[in-house]
Amino acid sequence: MLTIDWWKGFPSAGLTATLKGLIISSFVMTTIIIIGAAIYQALEDWSFDQAVNFCIVSFATIGYGNLSPKTDAGRIIFFFYALLGISSIGFFVVSLRNAVIEQFQWRLVDQFSKPAHLTRVQTRMSAKDISFPVARLEEEQRVKVLVKRKMIVRMMFIWVVMWFGGAGIFCALSTWTYLESLYFCFVTLTTIGFGDYVPES
C-alpha cells in the first residue's frame, strides 16, 4: 500500500524521503530477483524455488556452490546480472541504514520534547550550578547515549533471534541437528557460505 501511494504521488502518504527510498530499494531488489529467477529457471532447467535461491545467495555474496550456471548463456548473463543484483542489495542495505538512523533521530526529538526532559535539565542546573545551555547540552548527550544503547541492544536481539530462531526452523524442517542448524545459520548470516550445509528443500 505504501508503494502504491508513492507511485501515485499522494502527499497524504506521510512518508519521508528515507522511507520512500527504503520502499523503492526493496521493490527494485524483489523485482530483479523475480525476473532473474524466471530467466534462470528457463535457462538452467531449475525449479523456480531453486532459481530464487540461486539469485538470493548470489546477490548476498554467500555462494554456497550447490547451484551455479551450467549453460553458456546463463554464465554470460550472470556477468551483468550479478553486478545489478549486488548493487540492488547494496542500495537496499544503505536505505535500511538510513531508515534506522532516521528512527534514532526521531526518538531523540521525541525524548527532548517531553516535559520530563526540561525537568531533568533544571535539576542538573541546580545540582551542578551551571547555566541552562550547558545543562541542556549535558542532558542531550546523556539521552543520545541512552537511545543509542537501546537501539544497539534491539539490533543485537534481532540478530540473535534470527540466528537461534532460524536454527530452530531449519532443525524442524530438515534432518539436521540443532547444532548443525546453528552452524548453518551463522555461516549464512555472516555471508561466509562454506557450502557444506545447504537446504535441500
Side-chain angles (χ1 to χ4, degrees), residues 5-6 21 34 59-60 73 96 118 129 137 151 162 177 182 198:
D5 282 348
W6 182 85
I34 292 174
F59 292 173
L96 183 61
L118 182 58
D129 191 24
L137 178 62
M151 294 194 67
M162 290 178 64
T177 65
L182 204 62
V198 179

Side-chain angles (χ1 to χ4, degrees), residues 132-150:
F132 179 80
V134 175
R136 181 179 176 83
L137 178 62
E138 288 185 359
E139 179 61 21
E140 288 181 355
Q141 292 296 329
R142 186 191 71 82
V143 173
K144 285 181 180 179
V145 171
L146 182 62
V147 173
K148 187 178 294 184
R149 284 177 181 172
K150 287 183 178 179

Side-chain angles (χ1 to χ4, degrees), residues 18-135:
T18 303
L19 287 179
K20 289 179 180 178
L22 180 59
I23 293 170
I24 295 170
S25 63
S26 60
F27 178 78
V28 169
M29 180 181 65
T30 304
T31 301
I32 291 174
I33 290 174
I34 292 174
I35 293 175
I39 292 173
Y40 277 99
Q41 181 185 18
L43 289 177
E44 302 295 335
D45 196 28
W46 294 335
S47 67
F48 187 73
D49 291 347
Q50 288 178 314
V52 169
N53 177 55
F54 165 75
C55 293
I56 294 175
V57 168
S58 299
F59 292 173
T61 67
I62 298 172
Y64 292 131
N66 60 318
L67 291 172
S68 59
K70 304 300 181 185
T71 63
D72 291 340
R75 290 170 177 169
I76 292 173
I77 291 174
F78 188 73
F79 294 152
F80 307 98
Y81 182 64
L83 293 176
L84 182 64
I86 293 172
S87 299
S88 70
I89 288 282
F91 180 31
F92 173 76
V93 170
V94 170
S95 299
L96 183 61
R97 170 187 172 276
N98 292 338
V100 171
I101 292 175
E102 184 179 70
Q103 183 189 34
F104 170 70
Q105 292 172 339
W106 276 110
R107 285 185 178 276
L108 289 180
V109 171
D110 180 62
Q111 290 287 335
F112 293 153
S113 63
K114 291 181 178 179
H117 171 68
L118 182 58
T119 302
R120 284 194 295 267
V121 171
Q122 293 172 338
T123 302
R124 190 179 293 271
M125 288 173 60
S126 302
K128 293 189 173 183
D129 191 24
I130 54 180
S131 63
F132 179 80
V134 175

